[in-house]
Amino acid sequence: MSPELTQLMELQELDLEIQRISDRLARIPAERDQIENEFKQYAAEFLDLKSKHEQIIEDRKQLEAELATVQQNHEKYKQDLMRVRNQKEYETALREIDATKKHASALESEILKRMEELEKLDAELAARAPDAERKRAETDEILASLDNEQQQADGRLTELKEQRERLAERMPAHLMSAYDRMSRRGRGQALSEVNAFGVCTACRMKVRPKVFSDVRRGDQLITCEHCGRILYYRSEPSQSAETT
């Protein structure tokens, strides 16, 4: 095989790997978002329960503070009752005592109601917490794996681009120009392998016997009459994916 064709094959392998890694890196952010969103949807009900639990605790605190104020006022009115000077003040004090007593009783009922709600929510949260924690751990593990994959891919991409730059510097300008032109025409693939049956694996068209013979010799650059890509032949079967 000619040195020029060998260089072109090496260059294309680098470019295809660079493109593969770049495509993978481009998909990772969307995958992260999808995984996070799936967890949020899964945990939405659990998080709603936690939010409701926190709100009830806050409501109970406010009710207890209000109850303390009402009880203080109730005691004050009871003391005022002992210092009344006329019937009107006496009746007013009695009304205030009765009102604060009823108010305190209503607040106590509301507080008791909140405590019962909290007891039920505590039990439900305790039952669901292990599963939510397991799902969170699984999600974090997947996200960490994606982060690690991205870091390794970034490093590998930098390495491949440096290799490509060194290879391109060694190649003749006319060869690089031909490669770039074919790459643009071939949707990123400038070269195509001809298989043992004489078929261009890029366009899946059979080449003429004379062309196949010349390609197998590998001593010159020959393009496919159908797709325009530079053809090459491997004596060993290729494991590379065919491009349509």
Side-chain angles (χ1 to χ4, degrees):
M1 185 176 294
S2 71
E4 289 186 343
L5 189 54
T6 299
Q7 286 180 320
L8 288 175
M9 290 172 62
E10 183 179 354
L11 182 61
Q12 176 166 279
E13 288 177 358
L14 285 172
D15 281 347
L16 291 176
E17 183 65 5
I18 287 171
Q19 187 59 53
R20 185 191 69 79
I21 295 176
S22 298
D23 290 345
R24 176 58 187 146
L25 284 171
R27 293 194 301 270
I28 287 179
E31 287 187 21
R32 283 185 58 88
D33 290 342
Q34 181 179 352
I35 291 167
E36 284 282 20
N37 288 334
E38 286 176 355
F39 173 76
K40 288 177 181 178
Q41 292 174 6
Y42 171 86
E45 188 173 350
F46 180 77
L47 295 175
D48 286 344
L49 287 175
K50 288 187 67 175
S51 178
K52 184 177 180 181
H53 185 273
E54 293 168 358
Q55 184 59 54
I56 291 176
I57 290 176
E58 183 62 29
D59 291 346
R60 189 186 68 178
K61 289 180 180 179
Q62 293 179 2
L63 289 169
E64 289 172 343
E66 186 178 354
L67 176 60
T69 300
V70 170
Q71 288 173 334
Q72 288 176 0
N73 291 335
H74 182 73
E75 292 299 320
K76 174 181 175 298
Y77 294 135
K78 286 173 65 177
Q79 292 175 10
D80 290 346
L81 185 63
M82 306 301 295
R83 296 190 295 268
V84 296
R85 294 170 293 182
N86 53 54
Q87 183 65 26
K88 184 177 180 180
E89 290 180 353
Y90 178 79
E91 291 174 355
T92 300
L94 285 178
R95 285 197 301 271
E96 294 295 350
I97 290 171
D98 184 59
T100 52
K101 183 178 179 180
K102 290 179 180 178
H103 192 182
S105 177
L107 289 172
E108 288 170 347
S109 296
E110 285 297 318
I111 291 171
L112 180 60
K113 181 180 177 181
R114 298 299 189 280
M115 292 176 66
E116 290 173 348
E117 291 175 350
L118 284 173
E119 185 177 351
K120 291 180 181 179
L121 284 173
D122 284 337
E124 192 168 358
L125 286 170
R128 296 190 179 204
D131 192 51
E133 291 172 359
R134 175 190 58 78
K135 187 66 174 179
R136 177 73 266 182
E138 290 176 354
T139 299
D140 289 342
E141 184 177 352
I142 295 173
L143 292 176
S145 177
L146 285 175
D147 289 341
N148 182 60
E149 180 185 358
Q150 182 172 6
Q151 183 177 3
Q152 292 185 358
D154 282 333
R156 179 60 176 158
L157 190 60
T158 298
E159 179 183 332
L160 289 172
K161 287 181 177 179
E162 291 174 352
Q163 290 181 24
R164 187 191 192 282
E165 185 176 349
R166 290 193 296 269
L167 177 60
E169 289 174 352
R170 300 197 306 268
M171 292 177 63
H174 76 278
L175 196 58
M176 278 299 304
S177 177
Y179 175 85
D180 289 337
R181 183 174 63 256
M182 294 296 180
S183 182
R184 287 192 297 271
R185 289 178 55 187
R187 293 178 295 177
Q189 185 176 354
L191 281 71
S192 175
E193 180 179 359
V194 177
N195 64 24
F197 301 101
V199 174
C200 170
T201 56
C203 65
R204 300 180 184 273
M205 298 296 291
K206 191 175 182 64
V207 302
R208 292 184 293 110
K210 175 64 168 61
V211 173
F212 186 28
S213 177
D214 292 340
V215 171
R216 293 184 65 176
R217 282 203 311 273
D219 56 1
Q220 57 183 312
L221 299 184
I222 300 173
T223 59
C224 177
E225 297 171 328
H226 305 286
C227 67
R229 293 180 175 89
I230 300 170
L231 300 174
Y232 66 91
Y233 178 81
R234 296 182 192 270
S235 57
E236 295 295 331
S238 172
Q239 299 299 318
S240 61
E242 297 180 356
T243 302
T244 57

